């Protein structure tokens, strides 16, 4: 199974600050035939179901603010929020879909100071 | 607008069975793979099963293999999860999620349905 490791487990920032969170996979998520990374990011706000933010490591979903930026390749990935807003309070999960079983990281909880 | 609505919420005893349903609307259900994902109270996300658009292939997490069965009825736009031999560790919110067009990411999620396994 591909193990996904997210760090930090929680982070507190002030509104307007930039925040980065990491997701590392135990094996490469880069598929050589299409040069795509099989990595997604989700946001789960309190009391809600998760929402897809980014697929293919860096492709933002329609309607997702451009302050959310996904980057990385292979085994190391990053989600950056360029200027955190109060509504970004949530847990952020990465997911690999390179192979079954599909696996998630344990999440990064973002708190707003 | 894509909508996924799960049902089948309830409290059941260990060892018993339960069937969840997820009714889909707002997209061509028969064109997309579908998934079940669960989240134990105060815990992270765990993918448990997927089914191809035409039911030709199904995959399961080891934690549910042999006990849970995923199925679908494209004529009814409905996804199912049959759960047998339930254990306390199956207690979770169960989400139905639509697969992406070209990959097994989850682009739409239902609000979830809570399953509690307890005596």
């Amino acid at each position: 199974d591909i193990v996904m490791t997210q760090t930090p487990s929680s982070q507190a920032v002030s509104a307007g600050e930039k925040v980065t969170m990491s997701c590392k996979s135990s094996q490469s998520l880069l598929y050589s035939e299409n040069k795509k990374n099989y990595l997604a990011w989700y946001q789960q706000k309190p009391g809600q179901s998760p929402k897809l933010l980014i697929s293919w490591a860096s492709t933002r979903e329609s309607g997702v603010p451009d302050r959310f930026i996904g980057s990385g390749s292979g085994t190391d990935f990053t989600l950056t929020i360029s200027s955190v807003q109060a509504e970004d309070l949530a847990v952020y999960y990465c997911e690999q879909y390179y192979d079954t079983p599909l696996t998630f990281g344990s999440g990064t909880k973002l708190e707003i100071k | 607008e894509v909508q996924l609505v799960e049902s089948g919420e309830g409290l059941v005893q260990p060892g018993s069975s339960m069937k969840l349903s997820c009714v889909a609307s707002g997209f061509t259900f028969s064109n997309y793979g579908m998934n079940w994902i669960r989240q134990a109270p105060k815990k992270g996300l765990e993918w448990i099963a997927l089914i191809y658009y035409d039911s030709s292939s199904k995959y399961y997490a080891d934690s549910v293999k042999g006990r849970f069965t995923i199925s679908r009825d494209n004529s009814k736009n409905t996804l199912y999860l049959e759960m047998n031999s339930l254990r306390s560790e199956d207690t979770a919110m169960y989400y139905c999620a639509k697969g992406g067009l070209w990959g097994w990411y989850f682009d739409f999620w239902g609000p979830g349905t809570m399953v509690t396994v307890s005596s």
Side-chain angles (χ1 to χ4, degrees), chain B residues 3-37:
Chain B
Q3 285 202 314
L4 300 168
V5 180
E6 304 93 339
S7 60
E9 176 170 308
L11 169 65
V12 295
Q13 292 199 330
S16 64
S17 299
M18 192 173 192
K19 188 170 185 176
L20 305 181
S21 300
C22 169
V23 176
S25 61
F27 66 103
T28 306
F29 181 72
S30 58
N31 285 355
Y32 290 90
M34 295 294 295
N35 301 264
W36 287 100
I37 296 152

Short mmCIF file of all heavy atoms in Angstrom, two decimals, chain B residues 3-37:
data_model
loop_
_atom_site.label_atom_id
_atom_site.label_comp_id
_atom_site.label_asym_id
_atom_site.label_seq_id
_atom_site.Cartn_x
_atom_site.Cartn_y
_atom_site.Cartn_z
N GLN B 3 -25.63 16.10 -7.26
CA GLN B 3 -26.07 15.80 -5.90
C GLN B 3 -25.92 14.31 -5.63
O GLN B 3 -26.23 13.47 -6.48
CB GLN B 3 -27.53 16.20 -5.70
CG GLN B 3 -27.76 17.70 -5.56
CD GLN B 3 -29.06 18.03 -4.86
OE1 GLN B 3 -30.08 17.46 -5.15
NE2 GLN B 3 -29.01 18.95 -3.91
N LEU B 4 -25.43 14.01 -4.45
CA LEU B 4 -25.32 12.64 -3.96
C LEU B 4 -25.95 12.62 -2.58
O LEU B 4 -25.58 13.42 -1.72
CB LEU B 4 -23.84 12.22 -3.88
CG LEU B 4 -23.06 12.24 -5.19
CD1 LEU B 4 -21.56 12.09 -4.92
CD2 LEU B 4 -23.53 11.13 -6.11
N VAL B 5 -26.90 11.71 -2.39
CA VAL B 5 -27.60 11.67 -1.10
C VAL B 5 -27.59 10.23 -0.58
O VAL B 5 -28.23 9.35 -1.16
CB VAL B 5 -29.04 12.18 -1.22
CG1 VAL B 5 -29.72 12.11 0.15
CG2 VAL B 5 -29.06 13.60 -1.75
N GLU B 6 -26.87 10.05 0.52
CA GLU B 6 -26.80 8.73 1.14
C GLU B 6 -27.98 8.50 2.07
O GLU B 6 -28.55 9.44 2.62
CB GLU B 6 -25.50 8.59 1.95
CG GLU B 6 -24.21 8.83 1.18
CD GLU B 6 -23.72 10.27 1.27
OE1 GLU B 6 -24.55 11.16 1.59
OE2 GLU B 6 -22.53 10.52 1.04
N SER B 7 -28.32 7.23 2.26
CA SER B 7 -29.34 6.85 3.24
C SER B 7 -28.98 5.49 3.82
O SER B 7 -28.16 4.75 3.25
CB SER B 7 -30.73 6.82 2.61
OG SER B 7 -30.77 5.89 1.57
N GLY B 8 -29.62 5.16 4.94
CA GLY B 8 -29.36 3.89 5.62
C GLY B 8 -28.76 4.06 6.99
O GLY B 8 -28.32 3.10 7.62
N GLU B 9 -28.79 5.28 7.46
CA GLU B 9 -28.21 5.60 8.77
C GLU B 9 -28.86 4.79 9.90
O GLU B 9 -30.06 4.51 9.87
CB GLU B 9 -28.44 7.09 9.03
CG GLU B 9 -27.99 7.59 10.38
CD GLU B 9 -28.03 9.11 10.45
OE1 GLU B 9 -27.46 9.76 9.55
OE2 GLU B 9 -28.64 9.64 11.39
N GLY B 10 -28.02 4.39 10.86
CA GLY B 10 -28.63 3.71 11.98
C GLY B 10 -27.65 3.10 12.96
O GLY B 10 -26.43 3.13 12.76
N LEU B 11 -28.24 2.56 14.03
CA LEU B 11 -27.50 1.87 15.08
C LEU B 11 -27.76 0.38 14.93
O LEU B 11 -28.92 -0.05 14.89
CB LEU B 11 -27.98 2.36 16.45
CG LEU B 11 -27.52 1.58 17.69
CD1 LEU B 11 -26.02 1.68 17.87
CD2 LEU B 11 -28.26 2.09 18.93
N VAL B 12 -26.69 -0.41 14.83
CA VAL B 12 -26.84 -1.85 14.66
C VAL B 12 -25.92 -2.57 15.64
O VAL B 12 -24.93 -1.99 16.11
CB VAL B 12 -26.54 -2.30 13.22
CG1 VAL B 12 -27.55 -1.74 12.25
CG2 VAL B 12 -25.12 -1.93 12.83
N GLN B 13 -26.24 -3.83 15.89
CA GLN B 13 -25.42 -4.62 16.82
C GLN B 13 -24.24 -5.26 16.10
O GLN B 13 -24.31 -5.53 14.89
CB GLN B 13 -26.28 -5.71 17.45
CG GLN B 13 -27.36 -5.17 18.38
CD GLN B 13 -27.89 -6.24 19.32
OE1 GLN B 13 -27.89 -7.42 18.97
NE2 GLN B 13 -28.33 -5.83 20.49
N PRO B 14 -23.17 -5.51 16.81
CA PRO B 14 -22.03 -6.22 16.20
C PRO B 14 -22.48 -7.55 15.62
O PRO B 14 -23.31 -8.25 16.21
CB PRO B 14 -21.07 -6.42 17.39
CG PRO B 14 -21.40 -5.31 18.33
CD PRO B 14 -22.87 -5.09 18.20
N GLY B 15 -21.94 -7.86 14.44
CA GLY B 15 -22.28 -9.10 13.77
C GLY B 15 -23.46 -8.99 12.82
O GLY B 15 -23.71 -9.92 12.03
N SER B 16 -24.15 -7.89 12.87
CA SER B 16 -25.35 -7.74 12.03
C SER B 16 -24.98 -7.17 10.66
O SER B 16 -23.81 -6.92 10.35
CB SER B 16 -26.37 -6.86 12.73
OG SER B 16 -25.87 -5.56 12.90
N SER B 17 -26.02 -6.95 9.84
CA SER B 17 -25.85 -6.45 8.47
C SER B 17 -26.62 -5.16 8.28
O SER B 17 -27.55 -4.84 9.04
CB SER B 17 -26.35 -7.50 7.47
OG SER B 17 -25.62 -8.69 7.58
N MET B 18 -26.22 -4.45 7.24
CA MET B 18 -26.85 -3.16 6.93
C MET B 18 -26.56 -2.84 5.48
O MET B 18 -25.50 -3.21 4.96
CB MET B 18 -26.25 -2.09 7.83
CG MET B 18 -26.97 -0.78 7.85
SD MET B 18 -26.23 0.26 9.12
CE MET B 18 -27.44 1.55 9.18
N LYS B 19 -27.49 -2.12 4.83
CA LYS B 19 -27.26 -1.74 3.43
C LYS B 19 -27.44 -0.23 3.30
O LYS B 19 -28.45 0.33 3.72
CB LYS B 19 -28.23 -2.47 2.50
CG LYS B 19 -27.92 -2.26 1.03
CD LYS B 19 -28.75 -3.19 0.16
CE LYS B 19 -28.36 -3.09 -1.30
NZ LYS B 19 -29.09 -4.06 -2.15
N LEU B 20 -26.43 0.41 2.75
CA LEU B 20 -26.48 1.84 2.48
C LEU B 20 -26.81 2.07 1.01
O LEU B 20 -26.45 1.27 0.14
CB LEU B 20 -25.14 2.50 2.80
CG LEU B 20 -24.57 2.30 4.20
CD1 LEU B 20 -23.25 3.07 4.35
CD2 LEU B 20 -25.56 2.71 5.26
N SER B 21 -27.48 3.21 0.74
CA SER B 21 -27.78 3.61 -0.62
C SER B 21 -27.31 5.03 -0.85
O SER B 21 -27.17 5.81 0.10
CB SER B 21 -29.30 3.55 -0.88
OG SER B 21 -29.80 2.26 -0.69
N CYS B 22 -27.05 5.35 -2.09
CA CYS B 22 -26.65 6.70 -2.47
C CYS B 22 -27.33 7.00 -3.81
O CYS B 22 -27.02 6.36 -4.81
CB CYS B 22 -25.14 6.80 -2.60
SG CYS B 22 -24.55 8.33 -3.36
N VAL B 23 -28.23 7.97 -3.79
CA VAL B 23 -28.92 8.36 -5.02
C VAL B 23 -28.21 9.55 -5.63
O VAL B 23 -27.94 10.55 -4.94
CB VAL B 23 -30.39 8.70 -4.74
CG1 VAL B 23 -31.06 9.19 -6.01
CG2 VAL B 23 -31.12 7.49 -4.17
N ALA B 24 -27.89 9.44 -6.92
CA ALA B 24 -27.14 10.47 -7.62
C ALA B 24 -28.03 11.23 -8.59
O ALA B 24 -28.97 10.66 -9.18
CB ALA B 24 -25.99 9.82 -8.38
N SER B 25 -27.73 12.49 -8.78
CA SER B 25 -28.43 13.31 -9.77
C SER B 25 -27.51 14.42 -10.24
O SER B 25 -26.49 14.72 -9.61
CB SER B 25 -29.72 13.90 -9.16
OG SER B 25 -29.42 14.73 -8.07
N GLY B 26 -27.87 15.01 -11.38
CA GLY B 26 -27.12 16.14 -11.90
C GLY B 26 -25.95 15.78 -12.80
O GLY B 26 -25.21 16.66 -13.23
N PHE B 27 -25.77 14.48 -13.05
CA PHE B 27 -24.73 14.04 -13.98
C PHE B 27 -25.15 12.67 -14.54
O PHE B 27 -26.07 12.04 -14.03
CB PHE B 27 -23.36 13.97 -13.32
CG PHE B 27 -23.22 12.92 -12.23
CD1 PHE B 27 -22.56 11.72 -12.46
CD2 PHE B 27 -23.76 13.13 -10.96
CE1 PHE B 27 -22.44 10.76 -11.47
CE2 PHE B 27 -23.63 12.19 -9.96
CZ PHE B 27 -22.98 10.99 -10.21
N THR B 28 -24.47 12.23 -15.57
CA THR B 28 -24.78 10.93 -16.18
C THR B 28 -24.12 9.85 -15.35
O THR B 28 -22.94 9.51 -15.54
CB THR B 28 -24.32 10.89 -17.64
OG1 THR B 28 -24.88 11.99 -18.36
CG2 THR B 28 -24.76 9.58 -18.30
N PHE B 29 -24.88 9.33 -14.40
CA PHE B 29 -24.37 8.37 -13.41
C PHE B 29 -23.67 7.19 -14.06
O PHE B 29 -22.60 6.76 -13.60
CB PHE B 29 -25.55 7.90 -12.56
CG PHE B 29 -25.20 6.94 -11.46
CD1 PHE B 29 -24.53 7.36 -10.32
CD2 PHE B 29 -25.57 5.60 -11.55
CE1 PHE B 29 -24.22 6.47 -9.29
CE2 PHE B 29 -25.27 4.70 -10.53
CZ PHE B 29 -24.59 5.14 -9.40
N SER B 30 -24.23 6.69 -15.14
CA SER B 30 -23.70 5.48 -15.79
C SER B 30 -22.35 5.68 -16.46
O SER B 30 -21.75 4.71 -16.94
CB SER B 30 -24.72 4.95 -16.80
OG SER B 30 -25.00 5.93 -17.77
N ASN B 31 -21.86 6.91 -16.49
CA ASN B 31 -20.57 7.19 -17.12
C ASN B 31 -19.40 7.26 -16.14
O ASN B 31 -18.25 7.40 -16.58
CB ASN B 31 -20.62 8.52 -17.87
CG ASN B 31 -21.39 8.45 -19.17
OD1 ASN B 31 -21.82 7.37 -19.58
ND2 ASN B 31 -21.57 9.59 -19.82
N TYR B 32 -19.68 7.18 -14.84
CA TYR B 32 -18.65 7.44 -13.84
C TYR B 32 -18.50 6.33 -12.83
O TYR B 32 -19.48 5.73 -12.38
CB TYR B 32 -18.95 8.74 -13.09
CG TYR B 32 -18.79 9.96 -13.95
CD1 TYR B 32 -19.86 10.45 -14.69
CD2 TYR B 32 -17.56 10.61 -14.06
CE1 TYR B 32 -19.71 11.56 -15.51
CE2 TYR B 32 -17.40 11.72 -14.87
CZ TYR B 32 -18.48 12.18 -15.60
OH TYR B 32 -18.33 13.27 -16.40
N GLY B 33 -17.26 6.08 -12.44
CA GLY B 33 -16.99 5.22 -11.31
C GLY B 33 -17.45 5.90 -10.03
O GLY B 33 -17.51 7.13 -9.97
N MET B 34 -17.73 5.08 -9.04
CA MET B 34 -18.23 5.60 -7.76
C MET B 34 -17.51 4.92 -6.60
O MET B 34 -16.95 3.83 -6.75
CB MET B 34 -19.73 5.34 -7.63
CG MET B 34 -20.59 6.09 -8.65
SD MET B 34 -20.56 7.87 -8.45
CE MET B 34 -21.36 8.06 -6.84
N ASN B 35 -17.54 5.59 -5.48
CA ASN B 35 -16.77 5.14 -4.32
C ASN B 35 -17.57 5.26 -3.02
O ASN B 35 -18.49 6.07 -2.92
CB ASN B 35 -15.53 6.03 -4.14
CG ASN B 35 -14.61 6.03 -5.32
OD1 ASN B 35 -13.64 5.29 -5.36
ND2 ASN B 35 -14.90 6.87 -6.30
N TRP B 36 -17.14 4.47 -2.03
CA TRP B 36 -17.54 4.68 -0.65
C TRP B 36 -16.28 5.00 0.16
O TRP B 36 -15.26 4.32 0.01
CB TRP B 36 -18.23 3.45 -0.07
CG TRP B 36 -19.62 3.24 -0.60
CD1 TRP B 36 -20.00 2.37 -1.57
CD2 TRP B 36 -20.81 3.91 -0.17
NE1 TRP B 36 -21.35 2.46 -1.80
CE2 TRP B 36 -21.87 3.39 -0.94
CE3 TRP B 36 -21.10 4.88 0.78
CZ2 TRP B 36 -23.20 3.82 -0.80
CZ3 TRP B 36 -22.41 5.31 0.94
CH2 TRP B 36 -23.44 4.78 0.16
N ILE B 37 -16.39 6.00 0.98
CA ILE B 37 -15.31 6.45 1.85
C ILE B 37 -15.91 6.66 3.24
O ILE B 37 -17.06 7.12 3.35
CB ILE B 37 -14.73 7.78 1.32
CG1 ILE B 37 -14.10 7.56 -0.06
CG2 ILE B 37 -13.69 8.36 2.29
CD1 ILE B 37 -14.12 8.78 -0.95
#
